[in-house]
Amino acid sequence: MSDYKNGKWAKKIIELQKPDGSWGYFHSLSIPQSGQAITTEQAINRLRRLGFTKDDAVIKKALSYMRDCFKSKAIPDGKEKRMDFDIFLDLMLAVCIRKFTRDDVLANEVAGKWRCIVEAAFSSGKYDGDAYINTLYEVFEPKYGTVKRHKELLRIDYYYPISLLAGEIDSNIEKAYFDYIMSSETGYYYGYYGAITRLPSNFCSKEASLYLAAVELYCEYPNKYCKDKLKFVVEWLNNNKNASGRWDMGAIVKNGTYFPLSDSWRTSESREKDCTYRIQNIINAVSSP
């Protein structure tokens, strides 16, 4: 058990939370307001990495805020013009909520819609693009009206659906979907932009840290078939242990999102502790039944 919840990074984020439960702008790619250090999406993802759960007061407030956003169909960022905003907003909120709880009616309703779409797309055992698009329209147009053909919706290998559907779809469909994602040479949209089957050339690199984020996402899929597909990553990680049998990815991976977890990296011991904590969690996830 880590003590990161009591560290300075967690305290700083909690201090920045607004009375309504947000941190200002919501979406990670939004341009921050003047003086805004972090978006709501960034804050809750960071707190989750620091060990916070739905039972912590800061997360309870954030979950309540996101449920209000579901109902109002609005976030402080304003509407994005590049895609069907209401569909994207519901998808984004559902993913953020379900990172902490699977017991939310609104988020589960969104997950159910995307489950129908993905199961239709892979009903034959392989990806059918026409079935994906046709079902997407059938599912969304009764509620949202005419659906535009924006690139985010036209891609099934997109961070938000991938995260949302972990453990949500039929076992055989899950295998086919996972194979499709794993075989992508360009990674998944809005995340890691490289083939997951191609290991980073340098373990001590920003690329390797982003690669681990992709593996962490894929580890959310509980199907043993999916876990077995990731066993090669465990072998790579074990081959990169240091002389003390732990891991140290170097100071270059400090980016304020995945690292640091400890208050300071002035000593290599703290950096090694953080890297080992993250990597051991990945190994445990891949190796779990």
Side-chain angles (χ1 to χ4, degrees):
M1 180 67 67
S2 74
D3 56 357
Y4 300 130
K5 288 175 66 174
N6 297 314
K8 75 174 186 180
W9 305 116
K11 291 177 182 177
K12 181 178 179 180
I13 295 172
I14 293 171
E15 288 172 359
L16 291 171
Q17 190 177 34
K18 298 181 181 298
D20 66 0
S22 77
W23 281 263
Y25 276 21
F26 188 91
H27 188 32
S28 287
L29 294 184
S30 295
I31 299 173
Q33 302 173 41
S34 177
Q36 180 177 337
I38 194 169
T39 66
T40 299
E41 189 176 18
Q42 289 168 339
I44 60 175
N45 284 332
R46 180 81 161 127
L47 289 171
R48 181 169 172 263
R49 286 188 172 276
L50 292 167
F52 286 79
T53 72
K54 66 178 181 179
D55 297 321
D56 292 296
V58 62
I59 300 300
K60 286 181 179 179
K61 287 176 64 178
L63 288 171
S64 177
Y65 169 75
M66 288 188 284
R67 291 181 182 115
D68 288 342
C69 291
F70 250 127
K71 296 170 185 175
S72 67
K73 290 293 181 285
I75 53 177
D77 316 38
K79 290 195 173 186
E80 298 185 14
K81 297 179 180 180
R82 60 194 176 93
M83 68 179 297
D84 293 84
F85 179 78
D86 288 347
I87 297 176
F88 174 63
L89 177 60
D90 284 355
L91 174 61
M92 182 170 56
L93 290 170
V95 168
C96 291
I97 289 173
R98 281 166 62 91
K99 290 289 188 183
F100 292 95
T101 177
R102 294 296 181 98
D103 187 23
D104 185 276
V105 174
L106 294 173
N108 290 348
E109 180 183 335
V110 175
K113 292 180 183 299
W114 282 94
R115 180 178 62 244
C116 289
I117 294 166
V118 170
E119 288 185 349
F122 288 93
S123 61
S124 68
K126 61 181 181 179
Y127 178 58
D128 183 332
D130 290 336
Y132 170 67
I133 294 298
N134 292 336
T135 309
L136 186 146
Y137 291 162
E138 290 173 8
V139 168
F140 287 134
E141 289 194 338
K143 179 177 180 180
Y144 299 98
T146 302
V147 176
K148 301 174 184 177
R149 286 177 171 264
H150 285 286
K151 63 180 180 181
E152 286 89 347
L153 289 181
L154 296 180
R155 289 192 62 161
I156 203 167
D157 55 341
Y158 184 28
Y159 165 78
Y160 290 107
I162 293 172
S163 179
L164 185 68
L165 295 174
E168 187 68 26
I169 49 184
D170 172 83
S171 177
N172 290 326
I173 299 292
E174 188 172 62
K175 293 176 184 178
Y177 185 36
F178 201 80
D179 281 342
Y180 180 83
I181 298 167
M182 287 284 289
S183 66
S184 173
E185 280 297 311
T186 57
Y188 60 88
Y189 185 69
Y190 192 52
Y192 185 69
Y193 298 98
I196 195 70
T197 53
R198 189 166 55 247
L199 294 167
S201 57
N202 185 356
F203 179 71
C204 298
S205 66
K206 294 178 181 179
E207 179 195 5
S209 183
L210 290 174
Y211 179 85
L212 291 184
V215 175
E216 287 165 336
L217 174 62
Y218 295 160
C219 281
E220 294 177 11
Y221 280 73
N223 197 313
K224 186 178 183 300
Y225 176 87
C226 302
K227 298 292 182 69
D228 287 345
K229 286 274 187 175
L230 294 170
K231 289 290 180 65
F232 73 98
V233 178
V234 173
E235 181 179 355
W236 172 67
L237 291 172
N238 283 327
N239 288 338
N240 278 282
K241 285 182 179 178
N242 59 24
S244 64
R246 293 163 69 83
W247 291 273
D248 184 353
M249 301 184 74
I252 195 170
V253 297
K254 180 180 179 180
N255 67 351
T257 299
Y258 309 110
F259 294 121
L261 302 174
S262 296
D263 288 357
S264 172
W265 272 17
R266 290 191 182 123
T267 65
S268 59
E269 288 80 9
S270 293
R271 191 175 65 234
E272 183 182 89
K273 172 192 171 186
D274 289 1
C275 294
T276 298
Y277 174 77
R278 183 185 184 190
I279 291 171
Q280 190 59 64
N281 281 340
I282 291 173
I283 292 176
N284 291 345
V286 174
S287 304
S288 64

